[in-house]
Amino acid sequence: MIKLQKVSKNFGNYKVLTEINLSIPRGKIVGLAGENGSGKTTLLKLVAGLLEPSSGSIELDGVRVSRKSAVNISYLPDADLFYPNFTIDQLFRFYQSQFEDFNYSKASMVAKFLNISLTDKLKDLSKGNRGRAKMAVTLGRETSYYLMDEPFSGFDPMVRDDIIKGLIQFTDPETQTIFLSTHEIREVEPLLDEIVVLREGRIIAHEEVENIRDQFGIDATTWMMSLFREGEENGTTTNR
Amino acid sequence: MSIDFLPDKPIYQQLIDRISGDIIRGVVKPGEKLPSVREYAVEVGVNANTMQRVYKELELMGISETKRGQGTFVTENETRLDELRIQMKENLIASFIHNAEALGFTKEEMVLSLQQHNGGEQHD
C-alpha cells in the first residue's frame, strides 16, 4: 500500500502540491489525471523517492519512502532518458546490472509481445517503438509497484492499444500495484480501477471508475470535466 | 482490438451483455470453454480485476460454470440459456419502448411501423 499524509511540495516559493492525502491499495491500477502543470509528475517522483516532500509523510508498505525505495519501485519516466546508442538488448542488460529484480527473459517476452526487436538501437526507433521499449524494460522488473509517468501519451491509437495490452498481459492484478499518470482518460478508462484527479496541486477527487458510471451514469472523462467546471464556478465565487 | 464502451453503463455490465450476446447469437456454444480472465482482458483491453468480476457475475447468473483446474465454460443448461434469450429480448423491448415514448410515438403506431419494416437492412 502506498500512503501519503499531508504531503506538500514547494519549489522555492512555488507550491506544486498542497496537503496531499492518498492511499493506494495493493493490486489496483490507479490513474492520476489532471491538466498539464497540475503536479502529476511531481507526485509520482515523490512516491518513487526521486524527490523529497517539503512536508508530510509518504510510506510504502509502512516504510518511509526514500531514495532507496527505488529497489522496490519500477519507474517509467516521461522523458527519454536512455542512452540513444544502446540496442534494446543493451538497455535490458543495463537494467539487469542496476536492479536485482530485473528478469531478462520476462523483458524479452514483453518485447516480443509488443513486436520490437532486441537488436534495434534506441536512436533508430520510432516514437511508438521507444514507448514500447520503455514499457518492456519497466515491466521487466518483477516488483510490487510500478509508477508510470504518461506511459501512453503522444502515441497513435494502435501503439497505445498495444502498450495497454502489454500492461494487462504482464502484470498480476492480485499482487502488483500500478499508479500511472495520464491526460487521456477516455482511452485508458477501461484499464483503471480507480482515478485520482489533481487540480492545481490538490486532489479534488478519488473514485472507483465503475462507481462513477454506476452512480452518475457518465464516463470518467465527462465526470472529470464536470468536476473542473464546478471547481471553476466555486473558484470565481470565493475569489469575489 | 480493444472495444469501445458506452459512457453511461459500468464496463463490467457491458462485458456481461457482450458475452451473453455472443452466447445468444451462437458465436459461443453451450459447453464451450471461455478464454481465461487474462486472455479476455487483454483481448478487449480492460483491467483484469474488471474481467474477474464479469466472470464471477456470469457464474452467479448461471450462464457459466467454472471447472477446477480446467477453466470457465458456458453452461449446457438449455433452460437457463432460453431464459437468458427471453430476458435479453425483454431488455431490448423495454429500451425500445422507452425511446419511442420519449419521442411521443404510440404503441399502435410503432407496432404498425414494425410490421411494415423490412428487417434491419436499412442500417447496413
Side-chain angles (χ1 to χ4, degrees):
Chain A
M1 169 139 120
I2 300 171
K3 197 171 171 83
L4 288 85
Q5 280 173 306
K6 290 184 116 183
V7 170
S8 297
K9 178 69 184 173
N10 313 324
F11 290 119
N13 286 329
Y14 185 64
K15 281 188 166 183
V16 185
L17 293 171
T18 312
E19 306 248 321
I20 301 284
N21 292 305
L22 176 65
S23 286
I24 298 178
R26 192 169 264 224
K28 298 282 182 198
I29 305 183
V30 180
L32 178 62
E35 295 159 317
N36 292 332
S38 56
K40 299 192 293 287
T41 297
T42 305
L43 181 53
L44 284 174
K45 284 188 173 169
L46 284 169
V47 175
L50 299 171
L51 286 175
E52 273 192 43
S54 306
S55 60
S57 81
I58 307 173
E59 288 181 356
L60 197 73
D61 295 331
V63 179
R64 206 183 177 93
V65 163
S66 69
R67 197 79 208 184
K68 286 179 191 156
S69 305
V71 293
N72 298 313
I73 296 169
S74 187
Y75 184 80
L76 182 149
D78 186 19
D80 282 329
L81 297 171
F82 303 124
Y83 302 110
N85 274 318
F86 271 10
T87 62
I88 294 178
D89 181 70
Q90 284 170 317
L91 175 67
F92 287 178
R93 302 273 176 214
F94 174 68
Y95 259 60
Q96 201 169 25
S97 73
Q98 300 299 308
F99 301 107
E100 264 182 36
D101 57 15
F102 189 81
N103 179 337
Y104 182 89
S105 73
K106 183 185 173 197
S108 308
M109 270 162 66
V110 184
K112 198 177 167 206
F113 181 90
L114 294 175
N115 281 317
I116 46 174
S117 160
L118 296 188
T119 51
D120 285 349
K121 281 192 174 181
L122 296 174
K123 65 175 180 188
D124 298 330
L125 296 179
S126 64
K127 187 177 161 65
N129 280 347
R130 278 205 303 278
R132 289 179 166 105
K134 265 206 275 188
M135 183 54 80
V137 80
T138 305
L139 293 179
R141 290 188 55 195
E142 297 195 285
T143 182
S144 302
Y145 294 98
Y146 295 91
L147 299 180
M148 303 181 176
D149 197 0
E150 297 285 354
F152 317 113
S153 78
F155 300 132
D156 62 52
M158 285 287 290
V159 178
R160 191 172 52 225
D161 219 53
D162 270 9
I163 298 180
I164 287 178
K165 288 180 174 187
L167 190 59
I168 300 168
Q169 177 73 38
F170 293 100
T171 52
D172 179 356
E174 303 213 335
T175 58
Q176 296 177 318
T177 306
I178 302 162
F179 187 33
L180 59 89
S181 68
T182 179
H183 55 257
E184 289 157 285
I185 283 298
R186 196 182 300 279
E187 289 77 9
V188 306
E189 184 183 353
L191 175 70
L192 305 177
D193 286 297
E194 299 176 9
I195 179 167
V196 173
V197 185
L198 263 188
R199 186 184 168 87
E200 290 166 6
R202 291 173 193 271
I203 292 181
I204 59 166
H206 182 181
E207 268 290 352
E208 284 180 30
V209 169
E210 293 282 60
N211 234 357
I212 298 169
R213 288 166 168 261
D214 221 6
Q215 281 197 354
F216 311 114
I218 51 176
D219 63 7
T221 314
T222 316
W223 170 76
M224 213 172 96
M225 299 291 272
S226 69
L227 281 180
F228 280 166
R229 228 170 288 129
E230 268 171 41
E232 253 153 40
E233 279 161 18
N234 294 342
T236 2
T237 41
T238 42
N239 285 343
R240 279 172 194 173
Chain B
M1 190 62 206
S2 300
I3 56 174
D4 284 326
F5 294 97
L6 299 171
D8 55 351
K9 214 172 164 187
I11 289 168
Y12 84 93
Q13 286 259 321
Q14 296 185 50
L15 288 165
I16 291 173
D17 291 349
R18 180 185 153 100
I19 296 173
S20 302
D22 282 347
I23 296 170
I24 297 296
R25 287 187 296 137
V27 178
V28 187
K29 303 272 186 301
E32 196 175 317
K33 189 175 186 220
L34 292 173
S36 72
V37 166
R38 175 78 56 99
E39 282 164 359
Y40 210 126
V42 170
E43 187 189 322
V44 294
V46 305
N47 188 306
N49 291 322
T50 307
M51 212 56 231
Q52 185 68 53
R53 184 172 176 189
V54 171
Y55 272 36
K56 215 171 117 191
E57 299 272 343
L58 284 171
E59 198 169 340
L60 285 173
M61 291 163 72
I63 294 173
S64 71
E65 287 159 17
T66 301
K67 295 180 190 166
R68 257 185 99 90
Q70 293 181 57
T72 304
F73 298 81
V74 178
T75 183
E76 287 179 279
N77 180 344
E78 298 283 352
T79 320
R80 180 66 191 97
L81 293 178
D82 286 344
E83 279 168 20
L84 177 67
R85 189 164 182 277
I86 292 166
Q87 190 198 332
M88 289 197 82
K89 190 168 66 182
E90 292 291 336
N91 293 347
L92 194 63
I93 292 172
S95 85
F96 177 73
I97 291 177
H98 177 84
N99 289 336
E101 278 176 349
L103 290 170
F105 295 119
T106 66
K107 195 173 170 183
E108 291 71 27
E109 212 180 340
M110 295 310 290
V111 169
L112 188 68
S113 295
L114 274 176
Q115 280 166 344
Q116 287 169 349
H117 201 82
N118 299 323
E121 58 256 40
Q122 288 188 353
H123 281 289
D124 303 317

